[in-house]
Amino acid sequence: MKSASSSVYDMAAILSGRGELWNWGMYDPDLAAGIEARLPGFTEFGTDGFSEQLYCLALRDLPDGLDGCAGRAVLEVGCGTGEGLNFLSRLVPGARMTGLDLSPKAIARAEATLARGESLRFVHGDAEKLPFEDSSVDVLINIESSHTYPDPGRFLHEAARVLRPGGTLSHIDVFTRQRLRTMRGLTGKMPQLKWIGDHGVSGEVRAAVRRRMAPGSRFRRTLDRRRMNPLVRAVATHGRILMFGGMFGGMFAGYRPPASIKVLGRLGLVPWMSGLPMDSHRHQVAVRV
């Protein structure tokens, strides 16, 4: 499972462009205004701002907030190509940020294009066996990543191990009903982590997906410029391929493809991804005891 996941994200690292989709994103006008106040014009070049809002949420709702992260060691587990952590390094200057990912291609790309000494660096590694010393991290964030881990309990134990006493874990992910029950069962068995926050952001995430997929959006214009085979381009013209499956959150936002698209997907002619029915998107916060 880990090998397959690494291969998928290796390919994503090779094919994706700078500033492109990092996660499903969220839409909250007040949150966007707060980012704009810190980084004026942050949506003017190559981004729609939805992914940034989800990253901002990961730090804003911590006990010490955004400003409390300045000067601290921040680790993102599952950083992908590093675009999200790069954004946070500009939002909270002065923090020492490290990104870790299972994909060697993603880490190589992040190191080559984004790394800035001790203020922003990237390392290859496994979320279930973090290559960091005990009590060496002040803030650990994990965004839309842990649902791919074979043993999420092991990840939580590793997060608790590397966090300093009083350090915080900010966990944002999409859940099936069964996985949410499993997650809550795991958290109840870990006295070293005190969970202080667990709230849903499903409405905000669905709003971002719908805006991202709307006719004329930046994301759709980007996809329309890409080279596609004639069949895929024909489907894309009608706005259907843009909302496929779990990859872009289309199913979570309520999109249901017509029967013809399902048939093309089963034939492998369009990248239809059905996946498991995701029930909620949540932000959970814990403090290391």
Side-chain angles (χ1 to χ4, degrees), residues 24 144 147 172-176 179 252 278 280-282:
W24 291 2
E144 289 185 8
H147 64 272
I172 300 176
D173 212 345
V174 63
F175 292 91
T176 62
R179 184 171 174 274
F252 184 71
M278 297 299 179
S280 64
H281 207 294
R282 308 194 66 80

Side-chain angles (χ1 to χ4, degrees), residues 6 28 53 76 82 108 117 122 141-142 144 176 181 187 190-191 202 211 214 218 248 250 253 280-281:
S6 178
D28 180 333
Q53 290 181 52
E76 181 183 8
F122 300 92
I141 65 174
N142 186 252
E144 289 185 8
T176 62
R181 286 194 293 268
T187 60
M190 298 188 63
S202 297
R211 282 168 171 78
R218 182 188 297 272
F248 300 141
S280 64
H281 207 294

